[in-house]
Amino acid sequence: MSTHATASAGVQVCSLKRDTPQTVPANSPYTVIRFPFGTAESYDVFTMHQVNQPDGYTVTSWDTDARSGLIWPSTAGWGDLYAMIQWEAGGYDELRDQFVRDPLGLTPTPNDTTATEHRPPSIGMQCWTKQWGVFVDPAVPLALRATHDDSVARKIVLAEFKLVIHPSA
């Protein structure tokens, strides 16, 4: 018996994992964290994170195209967002992360941010998790963004981004 939900379940889940480094430039604006498609660690039976996106765009290089960071909700409802970000050690004074609806300006209301956090660094590698709830809509993609204030480019060495939707009745 499978431990994962089937496509007919009420709750719908998309779970993404990036385990290769992504460079974030020094003192950059927020950067969309990009995720590969169809990996063994990811889960997407509700087709919320696909190469062929709902608006007709096709991602040709997940590691360079910010659209590979989008989750397109499969249905409207209450969404629980989860994230985990691990940064390499560095000379940070502050690390920043946020969830964002339409980070790429694909809808009439782009860059609708929520759960923005500015964090002082800890000793060594920077490891953070977060959770936030929002209403989601299939026409509005979601992303996880991050930045830092170090004077040199730094790497996110591991990241996860998850959406659990409790569909509207």
Side-chain angles (χ1 to χ4, degrees):
M1 177 163 182
S2 173
T3 59
H4 295 298
T6 64
S8 62
V11 172
Q12 299 181 15
V13 175
C14 181
S15 177
L16 308 177
K17 182 175 184 179
R18 178 189 183 103
D19 57 7
T20 57
Q22 177 177 335
T23 301
V24 177
N27 291 306
S28 67
Y30 281 95
T31 299
V32 172
I33 300 175
R34 300 178 299 270
F35 293 91
F37 298 96
T39 67
E41 290 287 333
S42 295
Y43 180 76
D44 188 29
V45 299
F46 298 98
T47 63
M48 293 188 246
H49 182 254
Q50 298 293 305
V51 170
N52 297 314
Q53 301 203 338
D55 64 353
Y57 183 89
T58 300
V59 176
T60 57
S61 175
W62 75 267
D63 202 29
T64 59
D65 192 331
R67 277 184 170 249
S68 69
L70 301 179
I71 292 179
W72 293 80
S74 54
T75 189
W78 181 251
D80 292 318
L81 297 167
Y82 302 89
M84 184 271 301
I85 302 172
Q86 294 183 3
W87 292 89
E88 68 179 328
Y92 311 102
D93 287 321
E94 191 171 68
L95 295 154
R96 303 175 187 120
D97 52 70
Q98 63 187 195
F99 295 117
V100 59
R101 294 177 193 92
D102 187 19
L104 304 176
L106 306 174
T107 72
T109 55
N111 291 309
D112 181 8
T113 62
T114 189
T116 298
E117 295 185 79
H118 295 201
R119 309 165 192 259
S122 60
I123 296 172
M125 190 170 162
Q126 308 304 306
C127 302
W128 308 103
T129 61
K130 66 191 300 153
Q131 176 184 355
W132 197 250
V134 297
F135 285 104
V136 298
D137 182 309
V140 182
L142 304 165
L144 172 64
R145 297 194 303 192
T147 193
H148 63 85
D149 68 351
D150 202 341
S151 61
V152 297
R154 291 293 177 190
K155 291 181 176 71
I156 293 174
V157 296
L158 182 66
E160 295 185 16
F161 179 34
K162 303 168 187 306
L163 170 62
V164 178
I165 304 173
H166 306 274
S168 302

